[in-house]
Amino acid sequence: MSFWEKLLNAIGNTAGNALSAVVEAIRTVFEGDPETRRKVAFSVAIIALSAKMAKADGIVSEKEVDAFREIFEFPQDQAKNVARLYNLARQDVAGYEAYAERLSTLCVTCAANCTVLEDVLDGLFHIAKADGLIHEKELNFLSHIGEIFQMSETRFEQIAARHVSTGGDPYKVLGVLPSDDFPTIRRRYHGLVSEHHPDRLISRGVPKEFHVIANERMAALNAAYAAIEKERRAA
């Protein structure tokens, strides 16, 4: 039996209070398997909050569904189970705030600017921008999720800047100031590269399929560092 089947069997069919059932199932069904529990918790957070975000602008585009599949691959024979969980979250009477609050408690390392929850936000940004534009309602949704996840305003702006296709501020992407000297900026850049290495993602329980986001993140960090380096050399 797959972990999706185990999870959904524990949840039941009631969409009206799916949130409580999902969280409790993750806590108990996978209690003796912390690695699977981390993976399930992360995956459920992406699925459930994606479903809630789809309601933010009222439209679920085909490109957004494709983006979801890019970062969250699953066996074809599990498609119905994943779709069932998505639909339960979408129909649940609980709002997205409740989902974000409860799902964040599944992260045992959770603290201000938690890296696992940053991974979840990156995934949601990836889906939101799939149709070529992050709508204002989606950005408000993501910003509020960041607050619930205890992300500082600076950290959220840094995450958001990575997903701006044009005109992104390279200093915001790296979380540094224009007044910082270049050695400080270089240390910050190398620290971020180490922090977001794919091996680190795996150790945090992020599914291997998330490498699409990891590659996007690294490309944004590299581009920001290159832009600042070029600017400093020209000065």
Side-chain angles (χ1 to χ4, degrees):
M1 182 181 292
S2 73
F3 64 70
W4 293 115
E5 291 166 320
K6 288 181 181 179
L7 180 64
L8 288 165
N9 283 344
I11 293 170
N13 294 309
T14 305
N17 58 359
L19 171 60
S20 297
V22 168
V23 173
E24 194 56 35
I26 293 173
R27 289 190 191 283
T28 57
V29 175
F30 306 104
E31 185 176 9
D33 186 354
E35 184 175 346
T36 300
R37 176 177 163 174
R38 285 196 302 270
K39 181 175 181 178
V40 172
F42 176 86
S43 301
V44 167
I46 290 289
I47 293 171
L49 291 175
S50 295
K52 293 296 184 182
M53 186 171 66
K55 299 175 71 172
D57 64 357
I59 300 171
V60 183
S61 73
E62 208 170 304
K63 289 183 178 179
E64 287 176 331
V65 174
D66 289 342
F68 173 79
R69 291 298 301 264
E70 282 178 354
I71 65 170
F72 188 73
E73 296 177 4
F74 45 83
Q76 191 56 41
D77 63 358
Q78 295 302 311
K80 288 184 178 179
N81 289 323
V82 173
R84 181 180 160 202
L85 182 58
Y86 183 95
N87 288 327
L88 282 173
R90 189 170 56 180
Q91 298 166 30
D92 197 343
V93 294
Y96 74 87
E97 298 93 344
Y99 263 80
E101 288 168 2
R102 293 293 300 279
L103 290 170
S104 69
T105 67
L106 293 172
C107 177
V108 294
T109 61
C110 187
N113 298 325
C114 172
T115 51
V116 176
L117 298 180
E118 180 175 344
D119 294 334
V120 172
L121 265 177
D122 259 330
L124 293 173
F125 263 107
H126 177 78
I127 294 168
K129 71 182 182 183
D131 57 2
L133 175 69
I134 298 178
H135 300 277
E136 183 178 356
K137 289 182 179 179
E138 290 175 325
L139 187 58
N140 290 338
F141 172 95
L142 292 164
S143 177
H144 196 191
I145 292 292
E147 292 173 3
I148 294 170
F149 283 175
Q150 300 183 52
M151 294 284 171
S152 67
E153 185 177 347
T154 300
R155 188 63 169 242
F156 179 80
E157 288 179 353
Q158 181 184 350
I159 296 168
R162 291 202 291 259
H163 296 276
V164 177
S165 56
T166 58
D169 184 338
Y171 291 95
K172 280 188 177 181
V173 172
L174 296 184
V176 295
L177 298 172
S179 58
D180 289 336
D181 60 30
F182 192 66
T184 297
I185 293 171
R186 183 169 55 239
R187 284 194 299 273
R188 173 63 175 167
Y189 164 70
H190 286 305
L192 288 170
V193 168
S194 175
E195 179 184 341
H196 296 299
H197 190 278
D199 288 346
R200 292 284 184 94
L201 294 180
I202 293 172
S203 69
R204 297 202 291 258
V206 177
K208 62 181 180 180
E209 295 84 9
F210 205 70
H211 71 274
V212 171
I213 296 297
N215 290 340
E216 278 189 2
R217 186 185 284 169
M218 292 302 295
L221 295 175
N222 291 337
Y225 180 74
I228 294 174
E229 184 176 38
K230 182 178 179 180
E231 174 191 294
R232 296 299 174 98
R233 284 180 175 175

